[in-house]
């Protein structure tokens, strides 16, 4: 009976996170990011655009660019057209751009963005070396003083912070658990030096 109760509770927590929790948390985090509204923001592994669209809502004169490989492995229907349709439905299509790009070799010049975000995407890269390269690329495309805001499973977020030698880590709580605290998500916030 106990195993069944744990399984049922884990399923409920997972569904809450997937359907509501992660979106509430990203809204809060983007609100607290102090965006002025004219920033250039890059979202790594944007998928169908949940974080990308929330960011675009806060950028009336800025731009939100999402990159993904559009493999569909993590989400069925993960295609650029779907992301753009979601942006149009949210009324932010004029501020959103999507590109096919590998986050380990971003097709942007150094210092192109004020903010780089990523939500549970970097850990999907198979090797630790390539994951660190993605974090290095995120830092490379940030302008001096630009902010990196990455949500990932806590062991990964800690490794990213150690790799770049900076950043604050904060657990995002039960609203971003995938089944329980053993799959909790941590936010890494880092600022690129001037």
């Amino acid at each position: 009976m106990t195993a069944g109760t744990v399984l049922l509770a884990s399923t409920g927590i997972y569904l809450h996170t997937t359907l509501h929790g992660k979106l509430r948390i990203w809204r809060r985090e983007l609100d607290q990011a102090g965006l002025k509204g004219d920033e250039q923001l890059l979202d790594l592994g944007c998928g169908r655009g949940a974080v990308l669209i929330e960011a675009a809502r806060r950028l009336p004169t800025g731009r939100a660019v999402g990159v993904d490989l559009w493999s569909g492995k993590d989400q069925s229907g993960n295609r650029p057209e779907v992301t753009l349709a979601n942006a149009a439905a949210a009324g932010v299509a004029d501020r959103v751009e999507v590109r096919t790009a590998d986050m380990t070799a971003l097709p942007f010049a150094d210092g192109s963005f004020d903010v780089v975000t990523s939500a549970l995407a970097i850990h999907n890269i198979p090797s630790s070396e390539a994951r660190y390269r993605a974090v290095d690329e995120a830092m490379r495309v940030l302008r001096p003083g630009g902010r990196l805001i990455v949500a990932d499973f806590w062991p990964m977020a800690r490794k990213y912070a150690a790799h770049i030698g900076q950043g604050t880590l904060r657990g995002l709580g039960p609203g971003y658990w995938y089944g329980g605290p053993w799959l909790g998500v941590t936010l890494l916030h880092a600022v690129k030096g001037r």
Side-chain angles (χ1 to χ4, degrees), residues 14-88:
Y14 176 88
L15 288 172
H16 175 267
T17 294
T18 301
L19 299 174
H20 305 289
K22 68 181 179 182
L23 299 173
R24 279 192 202 121
I25 288 170
W26 270 104
R27 284 184 198 115
R28 179 191 74 208
E29 295 303 323
L30 290 166
D31 285 345
Q32 292 176 357
L35 299 173
K36 295 177 295 195
D38 61 351
E39 288 87 354
Q40 299 296 306
L41 180 141
L42 175 64
D43 186 35
L44 303 176
C46 68
R48 292 188 221 151
V51 174
L52 182 69
I53 291 165
E54 282 302 321
R57 286 184 169 127
R58 290 153 179 83
L59 302 173
T61 60
R63 189 125 188 104
V65 179
V67 297
D68 210 312
L69 290 176
W70 315 108
S71 67
K73 289 180 184 175
D74 289 333
Q75 304 176 43
S76 61
N78 185 15
R79 296 184 318 275
E81 309 82 51
V82 173
T83 305
L84 291 172
N86 289 341

